[in-house]
Amino acid sequence: MGAATPIAYVRSRPAERRRPPVSARGPFAWLRQNLFSTPFNAVLTIVAMMALAWLVPPVIRFLLIDAVWVGADREACLAGPDGREVGACWPFVRERIFYFIYGSYPLGERWRVDLFFALFAFGAGWLLWLEAPRRTLGAAYFFVVLPIASFILLSGWPAVGLARVDTALWGGLLVTVVVAAVGIVLSLPLGIVLALGRRSKMPIVKFFSVAFIEFVRGVPLITVLFMASVMLPLFVPPAWSPDKLMRALVGVTVFSAAYMAEVVRAGLAAIPRGQFEAAQALGLSYGRMMRLIVLPQALRITIPNIVNSTVALFKDTTLVFFVGIFDFLRTIEVARADPKWATPVTSATGYAFAALFYFVCCWSMSLYARRLERRLSAGQGR
Amino acid sequence: MAETNGTGQGDPRDLAPIAVEIRRLDKWFGDFQVLADIDLTVKRGERIVICGPSGSGKSTLLRCINALEPFQAGELIVDGIKLTHDLKRIDEVRREVGMVFQQFNLFPHLTVLENCTLAPMHVRKVPKAQAEEAARLYLKRVRIPEQADKYPAQLSGGQQQRVAIARALCMNPKIMLFDEPTSALDPEMVKEVLDAMIELAQTGMTMLVVSHEMGFARQVANRVVFMDFGQIVEINEPNEFFAHPRHERTKLFLSQILK
């Protein structure tokens, strides 16, 4: 930089590029920036560490270290004569695991449930794996073929040699998956219709959509379930009277559709007005504009929220317990009362197993949603 | 670039000498009158540049022509079709009128080629292969044939706006509306878009352009319309308009933008 002119400046050679200073790199810098950046942050870090130190070891001791791993009945899980403390009673879970999975589904027919799980996993994988080929076909499979096939497979169709299995016998994981899957598969299209209705310029359509959404959202799920199981039979002819599970499915679907509608509405609201105008200016009708331009974009940005709703719905399925359906949690509830396994730790073991199961399921869904969110926010057009 | 705009040669409406006729048009947003007593007749093949201060109603007027905005009084005849609140006729009009927006408004989830073929395939029911062929032709005309398979977000602003022009042209419109097509662009990209518009003008397209690009107005426009407070203040052919503005408001406006 010459001293010739104090005002004008012309760079004579490029600025040298250097590594960042030590204070800005390495693990020490990371600790300082993230855990001890301010006194308040430092206090939070220390308190959190102490809480972890207090909570985690007893849990690990109960679940793993003091746990009983083998045994044939309650004797194995009782405190020994030496007064040794006993942790989780895993033989209990191992013995009842098939009950937790199939409920009272007839032994000889359980392959049908296994096949259903496989078909379901295949469809879900096809949809969730974003690079999968023919994803439109995958959606058709998941939303049309799978529900029909599953219904025939699980409840039976004597004409093709599948014996009828009353839904009262269904239970455990099977019911949890069925309720969650039906809730999702039906509530998404229903939610889209409701969301479009809510944004409609036609006052009647708008009124009914808003009324439905607000009413259902203003009522706890358990109330919707009771209403579905008590009131639904009043509306349909007795011959058609839906069984218990069907009533619960209607309740869950209605409930999650209202929430899905709000999720989709948020996605629709995020689409700039210019997209609507460009579609209109090209002469697209309302239906084509929504189907080809608006919904694909709105749903794409809504996927993380849809997955989050799925997580919520998955946990809410435990409430079908109260209308007499044997979902996963209910089967544990039933099994823990079995005198064969009556020990002081049986209930804790059962609930711990349930907690682990729900946590693993929901956490993996959340992880997926988060990964998806990152990918989508990275911008379109890869 | 001298070939005429392809289709509809046999359509008797093509012979109609008037493309857009606006008579005593009034429009309100609530109680606020945004357009007042607008009278404007645009002949086929004519190129009109509309300018004026912001809020003067020029974009609103343009958006009335393809019914993106309703109006409350007066008459609007576009390509022989009288615009009312009848939805069917609105669709007819929109098919014949192409529009280019300030913010491009390309569809981000579709490739450039899909942006261009979507409306011809779904509105005009053109077969896919034919629609793609036409799209590639128009993309070549706006000089970005090599971008056909990219997504809009991968293009520069100038390229996006040229795609928007190609997308509108793929519908074979008889009239093209441009709503401040270069206002959202980086200065370096204005020229490429204006060039595409100039070439389009040379094909004989009827164009209504809201713009402050006075160089473009001088070079391309048959007439310049100056608007203020929702009214048309002055209309003249460009040389006269710039050299001898007659209305005081026009003089003030021009003195401010042509420093």
Side-chain angles (χ1 to χ4, degrees), chain B residues 2 7-8 42-43 54 77 82 96 101 108 115 118 121 125 130 149 164 167-168 185-186 197 204 207 221 226 241:
Chain B
T7 60
V42 182
K43 292 199 280 293
S54 65
I77 301 166
K82 196 167 162 188
E96 309 302 336
F101 298 84
N115 263 279
L118 181 114
M121 281 167 60
K125 311 289 177 202
Q130 200 182 325
D149 299 315
R167 177 176 73 177
L185 294 175
D186 290 338
M197 290 168 64
M207 292 164 72
F226 175 68
F241 180 84

Side-chain angles (χ1 to χ4, degrees), chain B residues 61 99 169 189 193 196 201 217:
Chain B
L61 174 61
M99 185 156 191
L169 291 176
M189 295 165 181
V193 171

Side-chain angles (χ1 to χ4, degrees), chain A residues 33-369:
Chain A
Q33 278 166 15
N34 293 288
L35 299 182
F36 300 98
S37 56
T38 63
F40 179 66
N41 193 354
V43 170
L44 275 186
T45 302
I46 292 166
V47 169
M49 294 288 186
M50 282 162 59
L52 284 177
W54 180 62
L55 282 173
V56 173
V59 171
I60 291 185
R61 196 173 320 131
F62 178 82
L63 290 180
L64 299 174
I65 300 172
D66 289 344
V68 177
W69 297 94
V70 285
D73 56 18
R74 63 190 291 267
E75 293 298 325
C77 297
L78 290 174
D82 52 344
R84 170 183 72 93
E85 274 209 33
V86 173
C89 182
W90 294 122
F92 155 68
V93 172
R94 189 180 308 167
E95 194 192 88
R96 306 310 302 270
I97 189 75
F98 292 114
Y99 181 60
F100 299 157
I101 294 176
Y102 304 102
S104 308
Y105 209 88
L107 274 174
E109 306 291 336
R110 286 189 177 173
W111 62 270
R112 284 155 59 174
V113 178
D114 295 334
L115 184 57
F116 160 72
F117 284 145
L119 291 173
F120 178 78
F122 176 69
W126 198 349
L127 268 193
L128 296 181
W129 181 32
L130 295 182
E131 279 84 27
R134 315 284 311 267
R135 293 186 68 232
T136 338
L137 198 67
Y141 168 78
F142 192 81
F143 286 99
V144 181
V145 179
L146 183 65
I148 297 170
S150 306
F151 179 77
I152 293 172
L153 190 63
L154 291 175
S155 61
W157 188 13
V160 294
L162 288 172
R164 237 174 230 303
V165 178
D166 193 84
T167 54
L169 297 174
W170 301 17
L173 181 64
L174 167 65
V175 162
T176 292
V177 171
V178 165
V179 173
V182 169
I184 294 306
V185 168
L186 294 185
S187 71
L188 188 58
L190 214 59
I192 291 174
V193 171
L194 284 169
L196 292 177
R198 187 164 192 165
R199 286 172 60 95
S200 165
K201 289 201 181 78
M202 290 176 274
I204 304 274
V205 173
K206 185 171 175 154
F207 172 80
F208 277 109
S209 306
V210 172
F212 180 88
I213 293 169
E214 292 306 330
F215 176 73
V216 174
R217 292 200 327 147
V219 173
L221 171 57
I222 188 71
T223 315
V224 177
L225 284 174
F226 278 131
M227 275 167 49
S229 66
V230 176
M231 288 167 63
L232 208 56
L234 304 179
F235 296 130
V236 290
W240 283 45
S241 183
D243 63 27
K244 254 194 217 166
L245 182 64
M246 196 63 94
R247 289 180 219 166
L249 288 178
V250 170
V252 166
T253 303
V254 160
F255 185 77
S256 55
Y259 279 86
M260 209 56 98
E262 290 299 280
V263 167
V264 174
R265 187 169 72 114
L268 290 174
I271 304 302
R273 220 172 65 139
Q275 292 290 310
F276 293 83
E277 291 180 349
Q280 287 166 354
L282 285 168
L284 293 178
S285 60
Y286 173 85
R288 290 209 181 87
M289 172 174 78
M290 284 299 169
R291 189 164 55 81
L292 299 168
I293 305 299
V294 178
L295 280 176
Q297 296 183 59
L299 290 181
R300 191 182 285 203
I301 54 177
T302 315
I303 290 175
N305 288 332
I306 292 176
V307 178
N308 284 339
S309 298
T310 313
V311 172
L313 176 65
F314 185 76
K315 289 182 291 187
D316 284 347
T317 56
T318 48
L319 288 173
V320 299
F321 182 117
F322 291 102
V323 287
I325 291 163
F326 285 75
D327 78 319
F328 183 76
L329 189 63
R330 180 81 181 263
T331 54
I332 288 180
E333 189 66 20
V334 170
R336 81 185 176 89
D338 181 356
K340 184 182 171 195
W341 288 98
T343 73
V345 293
T346 305
S347 297
T349 305
Y351 290 138
F353 180 64
L356 272 176
F357 166 75
Y358 283 107
F359 175 73
V360 168
C361 291
C362 294
W363 191 51
S364 39
M365 284 190 261
S366 297
L367 278 183
Y368 175 80

Side-chain angles (χ1 to χ4, degrees), chain A residues 17-30:
Chain A
R17 301 292 145 133
R18 289 180 299 258
R19 293 192 66 193
V22 189
S23 62
R25 59 186 147 100
F28 185 71
W30 185 88

